[in-house]
């Protein structure tokens, strides 16, 4: 399962100081990791405001300002 993989693969990488960016709708499967990783590993979750993902420069500025450790995105989000 996806959560099993998350527990097995990411335990060493994520800790309380990690920041996970929530960039997808809850109906999209990567949102499972974005929602549960902070709960499982004690990380901080930061939520991307709707529409910000459509502008790659704003997305990059957001990720830098929030000191994001992990972001999951799709290629179309990086096309502008």
């Amino acid at each position: 399962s996806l959560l099993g993989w998350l527990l097995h693969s990411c335990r060493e990488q994520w800790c309380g100081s990690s920041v996970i960016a929530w960039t997808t709708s809850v109906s999209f499967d990567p949102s499972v990791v974005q929602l549960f990783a902070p709960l499982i590993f004690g990380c901080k979750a930061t939520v991307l405001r709707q529409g910000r993902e459509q502008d790659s420069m704003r997305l990059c500025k957001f990720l830098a300002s929030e000191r994001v450790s992990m972001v999951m995105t799709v290629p179309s989000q990086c096309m502008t």
Side-chain angles (χ1 to χ4, degrees):
S1 80
L2 185 56
L3 288 178
W5 167 84
L6 178 67
L7 284 169
H8 178 73
S9 300
C10 301
R11 180 172 286 140
E12 302 291 321
Q13 299 169 8
W14 295 337
C15 60
S17 63
S18 297
V19 180
I20 310 293
W22 192 339
T23 59
T24 59
S25 163
V26 294
S27 62
F28 194 45
D29 61 339
S31 70
V32 172
V33 173
Q34 295 170 2
L35 171 64
F36 287 105
L39 296 173
I40 293 170
F41 298 109
C43 304
K44 176 184 172 186
T46 186
V47 180
L48 184 66
R49 251 187 247 148
Q50 187 175 8
R52 188 171 280 184
E53 76 282 356
Q54 296 172 355
D55 181 343
S56 58
M57 287 302 291
R58 287 181 71 194
L59 176 60
C60 288
K61 287 179 183 178
F62 169 79
L63 297 174
S65 70
E66 293 292 321
R67 304 179 69 88
V68 170
S69 313
M70 192 279 290
V71 62
M72 296 173 78
T73 187
V74 294
S76 62
Q77 286 181 313
C78 303
M79 297 299 288
T80 59

